[in-house]
Amino acid sequence: MGLLAVFLLWLLSLSRAKASNNIGVNYGQLGNNLPSPYLSIELLTKMKARHVKLYDANPDILNLLSNRKIHVSVMVPNNEISNIAVNRRAAEEWVRNNVLPYLPKTKIRYLLVGNEVLSSYSEQGRKMWRDLVPAMQMIKRSLKALNISSIKVGTPLAMDVLESTFPPSRGMFRYEIRDNVIIPMLNFLNRTKSFFFIDVYPYFPWSQNPYNISLDFALFRGGLSTRDPGSALVYTNLLDQMLDSVIFAMSKLGFSNIPLAISETGWPNAGDIDEPGANIFNAATYNRNLIQRMTTNPPLGTPARPGVPIPTYIFSLFNENQKPGPGTERHWGLLHPDGTPVYQIDLTGKSAAADFGPLPAPKNNVPYKGRVWCVAVKGANAMELEAALTYTCNQSNVNCDGLAPGRECYEPVSIAAHASYVFSSYWSKFRSQGATCYFNGLAQQTTSNPSRGPCKFPSVTL
Ligand SMILES: *[C@@H]1O[C@H](CO)[C@@H](O)[C@H](O)[C@H]1NC(C)=O
Ligand SMILES: *[C@@H]1O[C@H](CO)[C@@H](O)[C@H](O)[C@H]1NC(C)=O
Ligand SMILES: *[C@@H]1O[C@H](CO)[C@@H](O)[C@H](O)[C@H]1NC(C)=O
Ligand SMILES: *[C@@H]1O[C@H](CO)[C@@H](O)[C@H](O)[C@H]1NC(C)=O
């Protein structure tokens, strides 16, 4: 082998050098068909995940994670925050019961207080805003009292904590939470050298505005670079823009050194007809490219913070069939519930896209245009359909008069046909207010018109 060839090989090995322990996986359990915790931890281990984030402090899972190489993030549930915020004994008890018994065999590294607390806008939710930082302080104090110094305390927030995100230099926290919640929180995170945990999904801004944001830009595949006129920084992908809007928002409040961690990110592998771009091709592309970026050595960082590593947890381990809401909600998984991969992925970042087989061609990258109806799923349980039908007609101001004997939608006299009529009526009436065509798994969207003869089913026009 010539000297040049050796040199080129060495260069190649350098470019593939990976900081391999930056990528974690969120282990959500909102499914009734998921593998046992034991099998799930085996799957995580086989995937070489070095970090896992839980949405609680499940004792079985924490025990199963003992003597593994996997670092663990546990969570204080939202409904315990207000009590912990004002009750030192409750805070200590929480740590004593949910953390202490598993140390040091289970490598708990982060204790996250609540989940997207500042995105709950109900009266009860808003009460939690006030309690969030005091609860974080109480938990930190409790860890200290128990001489636990290896665990950082944080709280994962969603992008709606910002009232402005574009261009990134205009990033700014929502005014209503800025002084009372965000500033004390940033003080806490800065003082305790913790991370600002952010759930950040380029999928959402892209899917809400697919004509103005290029899909390639959202999937790290180039697209037009954009220059932020406020900072003169140049962006090559949407994730960097979103992350930097958080960094600029923090800097404006005087905190320019709190590191970011991505508590959730990902791309849905399937979704409803009115959810463009949710497919296996895009999900694999996003997550593979994300891992490539986040595992370079030295780290890439973002334009506002080049070279700074960003711990990243992908959402999610499994497709979770009991998450309510639009179809995408149930399709964020790297794995099917039976443990098989939805697409191949290498969490260490050592394999590039070219090392995997071909992906199915994306079919829904262009938003669907036309009419869509919401009908009963084939084979849905008749009793459940009847209950949903009755409830919907009774509770939601949906006009079900057309189903009465002798009226235009009475025939065919079948529960599925009647339920489909009610689902379509409900969804077309309330979609603009956020209603989804789901009905607990009883309903799905269709582009084929279920109307029959004189019975016209209401539809949504996309
Ligand atoms: C924590 O450490 C201090 C000093 O090392 C010791 O006095 C105290 O008993 C320890 N507390 C606990 C709960 O282990
Ligand atoms: C953040 O913490 C550093 C020390 O780690 C300190 O020098 C700095 O003043 C703090 N920033 C603010 C805004 O409090
Ligand atoms: C998309 O871009 C066009 C032209 O640049 C602009 O007029 C329009 O307001 C944008 N739409 C959204 C939703 O941002
Ligand atoms: C309809 O709703 C009312 C109260 O909103 C309830 O009392 C009644 O039982 C309901 N009827 C059916 C058939 O569900």
Side-chain angles (χ1 to χ4, degrees), residues 91-358:
E92 273 200 36
E93 215 151 272
W94 202 95
V95 173
R96 212 182 273 283
N97 292 337
N98 297 287
V99 175
L100 199 57
Y102 310 102
L103 296 177
K105 284 185 176 167
T106 301
K107 298 179 175 61
I108 300 175
R109 292 293 178 269
Y110 300 113
L111 215 176
L112 303 185
V113 179
N115 195 37
E116 299 190 350
V117 168
L118 302 180
S119 307
S120 304
Y121 296 88
S122 64
E123 194 183 327
Q124 207 187 350
R126 286 169 188 268
K127 183 179 172 316
M128 261 185 332
W129 298 358
R130 189 193 63 200
D131 294 331
L132 179 58
V133 178
M136 294 168 76
Q137 290 164 335
M138 283 286 197
I139 290 285
K140 184 71 190 176
R141 198 173 302 164
S142 305
L143 288 168
K144 213 169 191 175
L146 294 165
N147 286 344
I148 303 168
S149 59
S150 53
I151 299 180
K152 291 195 186 296
V153 175
T155 187
L157 300 174
M159 284 298 288
D160 67 349
V161 294
L162 302 190
E163 65 181 26
S164 155
T165 59
F166 186 81
S169 62
R170 296 252 298 270
M172 207 167 13
F173 287 101
R174 265 169 27 219
Y175 180 73
E176 57 178 351
I177 52 173
R178 191 188 65 194
D179 294 349
N180 293 335
V181 187
I182 295 293
I183 290 178
M185 180 186 298
L186 296 179
N187 260 314
F188 172 85
L189 297 175
N190 189 51
R191 186 167 46 78
T192 59
K193 303 198 184 327
S194 186
F195 291 82
F196 189 97
F197 286 87
I198 185 80
D199 295 349
V200 54
Y201 289 99
Y203 171 72
F204 290 121
W206 175 79
S207 66
Q208 280 150 28
N209 204 353
Y211 296 109
N212 283 26
I213 301 175
S214 104
L215 182 57
D216 284 340
F217 193 68
L219 296 176
F220 310 98
R221 303 209 305 175
L224 218 50
S225 304
T226 65
R227 181 175 169 280
D228 182 335
S231 64
L233 295 170
V234 173
Y235 290 87
T236 60
N237 66 80
L238 185 51
L239 180 72
D240 278 352
Q241 279 189 345
M242 296 171 82
L243 293 173
D244 275 0
S245 66
V246 179
I247 288 173
F248 276 103
M250 290 197 288
S251 299
K252 277 177 199 153
L253 300 179
F255 297 89
S256 43
N257 289 311
I258 298 174
L260 287 184
I262 299 178
S263 32
E264 289 182 8
T265 190
W267 196 283
N269 57 62
D272 290 333
I273 291 163
D274 61 353
E275 298 182 289
N279 57 55
I280 289 177
F281 184 95
N282 293 350
T285 303
Y286 179 85
N287 281 327
R288 289 172 183 175
N289 287 339
L290 170 83
I291 292 168
Q292 288 288 310
R293 290 186 66 80
M294 293 303 179
T295 53
T296 57
N297 190 10
L300 281 176
T302 67
R305 270 195 198 153
V308 178
I310 306 171
T312 299
Y313 296 88
I314 292 176
F315 188 87
S316 176
L317 183 56
F318 297 113
N319 282 343
E320 297 169 66
N321 70 350
Q322 289 179 315
K323 292 197 76 188
T328 45
E329 279 301 310
R330 292 170 291 286
H331 295 94
W332 291 97
L334 300 175
L335 304 179
H336 294 290
D338 67 4
T340 59
V342 178
Y343 45 84
Q344 289 187 295
I345 194 120
D346 176 4
L347 297 175
T348 69
K350 285 179 188 132
S351 319
D355 303 334
F356 302 113

